[in-house]
Amino acid sequence: MEPRPGTTFTRVRYPETDRMGIAHHSHYLVWFELGRTEWMRELGAPYGELEDREAAFFPVVEVGAAYKASARYDELLSIATRLAWVERVRMRLEYRIERDGTLLATGHTVHACVDRDGRPRRIPDELLARLQAAAERAP
Amino acid sequence: MEPRPGTTFTRVRYPETDRMGIAHHSHYLVWFELGRTEWMRELGAPYGELEDREAAFFPVVEVGAAYKASARYDELLSIATRLAWVERVRMRLEYRIERDGTLLATGHTVHACVDRDGRPRRIPDELLARLQAAAERAP
Amino acid sequence: MEPRPGTTFTRVRYPETDRMGIAHHSHYLVWFELGRTEWMRELGAPYGELEDREAAFFPVVEVGAAYKASARYDELLSIATRLAWVERVRMRLEYRIERDGTLLATGHTVHACVDRDGRPRRIPDELLARLQAAAERAP
Amino acid sequence: MEPRPGTTFTRVRYPETDRMGIAHHSHYLVWFELGRTEWMRELGAPYGELEDREAAFFPVVEVGAAYKASARYDELLSIATRLAWVERVRMRLEYRIERDGTLLATGHTVHACVDRDGRPRRIPDELLARLQAAAERAP
């Protein structure tokens, strides 16, 4: 499996499985966030630095997921992340989780940009430019 | 705060908070499930027994959540659960999470009914009757 | 089951179970923390207020647990918490988790008292007095 | 950083942090398990296969951890795993978690070997031989 831009990988951890024998649906949100973290690192804007240096936080204001097939312990999953759109204070990311080419789940998150006190603020200019460029590139 | 039908309570646990100082968005899915668990118990159909005695499993096939305000450590949250609709092999539940009357989040889950091997099956007759009655009662 | 001082209750949540069908061992640490939170509230020193008002934080510097029997989905567990000892900058708490009188696990945590920047600091005087009194009362 | 035998890596995930801004202590147990999973894969005995093919399960019967320094969001951690001892029905593994050569935590787990119904059973012969060889090689 060769890495493509916007794609990261994780294995299903034992405590992510439940008594049904499959990964619990809540962990897909954590995997979406893994995808987002790596996608922002590739973009040249590691998320931790945005919080620490720019005081720009991106809490999730909306999330959705559709589950197509189950994931099991130790399976290697790919998480593909793309930016659907970005505005001055919001953006929407979309995700696909696959195992060996089989689609397991799709999802999306909408993020607001807020300051340290949780008040809406504009996305920092340099980041906004990178995000707009990424939105144009997105398939 | 007196308990209403279909409402359960939980406090925000320390590890449910993140470095932003608020409850991480993924835990709301766990709280929806707490609401669902208590709602099914009130309905007379504890979920664990459905799995163990009827081999009826209800994996989540779709989830959505909208976040309106943050939850913080140790805050007491109410989770209200209602059945939106039920069909032979699927049902949709809706949730409202509040703190002292302030709406924090709304959400929904769609569940398929499957057997032990993950194949679609009809919802057991007695449960279906209870669910249909609940759907008619729902506000 | 009537509440005794230093005892709180929780039900095993679905995502706390794993593919072995039992609660994953890591969640017992979260349950110890539930016990600790309620024990401190009873002591008149809610932990969140210590952090917010006194800038006194109590990170875990050591933890241990011994598992005797399994816990399953939806089972009601009791968590008993007691203070083993307290010094100027450290304290040790001990826990017993039971289900209907059957011992499932014992454990302990040692906590350091630190300030907002993670530097050791003395436990605030009033809290220290309460803790010392609790240590004398402990069975 | 080049991989050494018995060492695996993970980054601190956002929801693994708490309001203190550091990784919550309970997640170290999950990281120990990541180390264990990769260590067993290297040993030629992937844990999932032991459960599925041999009906040999290794629940944790004892765990301990000592925390020396904090881990923060997105930091890359190394997890070193070694086998301390193995007997017919039990084994003890030890862990070291580091960030860039700084020790963050040490820990251990003791595992019993049980069958699908949770009854003690001997460790499968071939696995026992591999584990004994590993115990002799361990530093």
Side-chain angles (χ1 to χ4, degrees):
Chain A
M1 228 166 321
E2 59 182 49
R4 282 169 302 161
T7 300
T8 189
F9 295 89
T10 193
R11 279 189 187 275
V12 179
R13 298 172 170 191
Y14 205 94
E16 291 173 340
T17 62
D18 63 25
R19 78 197 292 255
M20 227 184 273
I22 59 177
H24 190 263
H25 66 279
S26 63
H27 296 295
Y28 288 70
L29 273 61
V30 176
W31 300 337
F32 294 161
E33 188 159 18
L34 285 187
R36 195 158 70 237
T37 292
E38 295 309 318
W39 180 85
M40 294 194 77
R41 195 191 319 281
E42 279 180 20
L43 196 71
Y47 182 64
E49 295 184 9
L50 289 175
E51 287 197 355
D52 293 341
R53 296 188 194 167
E54 306 266 357
F57 298 78
F58 288 86
V60 172
V61 294
E62 184 188 308
V63 71
Y67 304 88
K68 312 295 187 186
S70 302
R72 290 174 187 277
Y73 170 57
D74 209 33
E75 289 181 345
L76 184 63
L77 310 182
S78 70
I79 309 157
T81 304
R82 65 183 287 278
L83 184 69
W85 50 254
V86 58
E87 294 168 356
R88 288 194 168 186
V89 298
R90 286 168 98 87
M91 64 175 171
R92 177 185 167 110
L93 291 161
E94 296 177 347
Y95 312 90
R96 286 175 65 88
I97 296 185
E98 299 184 1
R99 179 196 56 232
D100 282 335
T102 299
L103 180 64
L104 303 188
T106 58
H108 77 273
T109 48
V110 177
H111 300 261
C113 189
V114 303
D115 65 17
R116 205 175 294 282
D117 300 313
R119 285 177 305 230
R121 53 156 288 174
R122 286 190 52 168
I123 294 175
D125 287 341
E126 194 194 322
L127 174 62
L128 184 58
R130 286 176 194 255
L131 291 169
Q132 285 166 335
E136 282 173 24
R137 278 197 311 273
Chain B
M1 228 165 325
E2 60 182 48
R4 283 169 303 160
T7 300
T8 189
F9 295 89
T10 192
R11 280 189 187 275
V12 179
R13 298 171 170 192
Y14 204 92
E16 290 173 341
T17 63
D18 63 25
R19 79 198 289 256
M20 226 183 274
I22 59 177
H24 190 264
H25 66 280
S26 63
H27 297 295
Y28 288 69
L29 274 60
V30 176
W31 300 337
F32 294 162
E33 188 160 17
L34 285 187
R36 195 158 69 239
T37 292
E38 294 309 320
W39 181 84
M40 293 194 77
R41 195 192 317 281
E42 279 180 20
L43 196 69
Y47 183 63
E49 294 184 10
L50 289 174
E51 287 197 356
D52 293 341
R53 296 189 194 166
E54 306 266 357
F57 298 79
F58 288 86
V60 172
V61 294
E62 185 188 308
V63 70
Y67 304 89
K68 311 296 187 187
S70 301
R72 291 174 187 279
Y73 169 58
D74 209 32
E75 288 181 345
L76 184 64
L77 310 182
S78 70
I79 309 158
T81 304
R82 67 183 285 278
L83 184 70
W85 49 254
V86 57
E87 294 169 355
R88 289 194 168 186
V89 298
R90 288 167 97 87
M91 64 175 172
R92 178 185 166 110
L93 291 160
E94 296 177 347
Y95 312 91
R96 286 175 65 89
I97 295 185
E98 300 185 1
R99 180 197 56 232
D100 282 337
T102 300
L103 179 64
L104 303 189
T106 57
H108 77 274
T109 49
V110 177
H111 300 261
C113 188
V114 302
D115 65 18
R116 204 174 295 279
D117 300 312
R119 284 177 305 230
R121 54 156 287 175
R122 286 189 51 169
I123 295 174
D125 286 341
E126 193 194 322
L127 174 62
L128 185 58
R130 286 176 194 255
L131 291 169
Q132 285 167 335
E136 282 172 24
R137 277 197 311 273
Chain C
M1 230 166 321
E2 60 182 47
R4 284 169 301 160
T7 299
T8 188
F9 295 89
T10 193
R11 280 188 187 276
V12 179
R13 297 172 170 192
Y14 204 93
E16 291 173 340
T17 63
D18 63 25
R19 78 199 289 259
M20 226 182 275
I22 60 178
H24 190 263
H25 65 279
S26 63
H27 296 295
Y28 289 69
L29 274 62
V30 176
W31 300 337
F32 294 161
E33 188 158 18
L34 285 187
R36 194 157 71 237
T37 292
E38 294 309 320
W39 181 85
M40 295 195 75
R41 196 192 316 281
E42 278 179 21
L43 196 71
Y47 183 64
E49 293 184 8
L50 289 175
E51 287 197 356
D52 293 341
R53 295 188 194 166
E54 306 265 356
F57 297 79
F58 288 87
V60 172
V61 295
E62 185 188 306
V63 70
Y67 305 88
K68 313 296 187 186
S70 302
R72 292 175 185 277
Y73 169 58
D74 209 32
E75 288 180 346
L76 184 63
L77 309 182
S78 70
I79 309 158
T81 304
R82 66 182 287 277
L83 184 69
W85 49 253
V86 58
E87 294 169 358
R88 286 192 169 187
V89 300
R90 285 168 98 87
M91 64 175 172
R92 177 183 166 112
L93 292 161
E94 295 176 349
Y95 312 91
R96 286 175 64 87
I97 295 184
E98 299 184 1
R99 180 197 54 232
D100 281 336
T102 299
L103 179 64
L104 302 189
T106 58
H108 77 272
T109 48
V110 177
H111 301 260
C113 188
V114 303
D115 65 17
R116 203 174 296 282
D117 300 313
R119 285 178 305 231
R121 53 155 288 174
R122 286 190 51 168
I123 294 174
D125 286 340
E126 194 194 322
L127 174 62
L128 185 58
R130 287 176 194 256
L131 291 169
Q132 285 167 335
E136 283 171 25
R137 276 196 312 272
Chain D
M1 227 164 325
E2 58 183 48
R4 284 169 301 161
T7 299
T8 190
F9 295 89
T10 193
R11 279 188 187 277
V12 179
R13 297 173 170 190
Y14 204 93
E16 291 174 340
T17 63
D18 63 24
R19 78 198 288 258
M20 226 183 272
I22 60 177
H24 191 264
H25 65 280
S26 64
H27 296 294
Y28 288 69
L29 273 61
V30 176
W31 300 338
F32 294 162
E33 188 159 19
L34 285 187
R36 194 158 69 238
T37 292
E38 294 309 319
W39 181 84
M40 295 195 76
R41 197 192 316 281
E42 279 179 20
L43 195 71
Y47 183 63
E49 293 184 9
L50 289 174
E51 288 197 356
D52 292 340
R53 295 188 195 168
E54 307 265 357
F57 297 80
F58 288 86
V60 172
V61 295
E62 184 188 308
V63 71
Y67 304 88
K68 313 295 187 185
S70 301
R72 290 175 186 276
Y73 170 57
D74 209 32
E75 289 181 343
L76 184 63
L77 310 182
S78 70
I79 309 157
T81 304
R82 67 182 286 278
L83 184 69
W85 50 253
V86 59
E87 294 168 357
R88 288 195 168 186
V89 300
R90 285 167 99 87
M91 65 175 173
R92 177 184 166 110
L93 291 160
E94 296 177 348
Y95 312 91
R96 285 175 66 87
I97 295 184
E98 300 185 359
R99 181 197 53 232
D100 282 336
T102 300
L103 180 64
L104 302 189
T106 58
H108 77 272
T109 48
V110 178
H111 300 260
C113 188
V114 303
D115 65 16
R116 204 174 294 281
D117 299 314
R119 285 178 304 231
R121 53 154 288 174
R122 286 190 51 168
I123 294 174
D125 287 340
E126 194 194 321
L127 173 62
L128 184 58
R130 286 175 194 255
L131 291 168
Q132 285 166 335
E136 282 171 25
R137 276 196 313 272

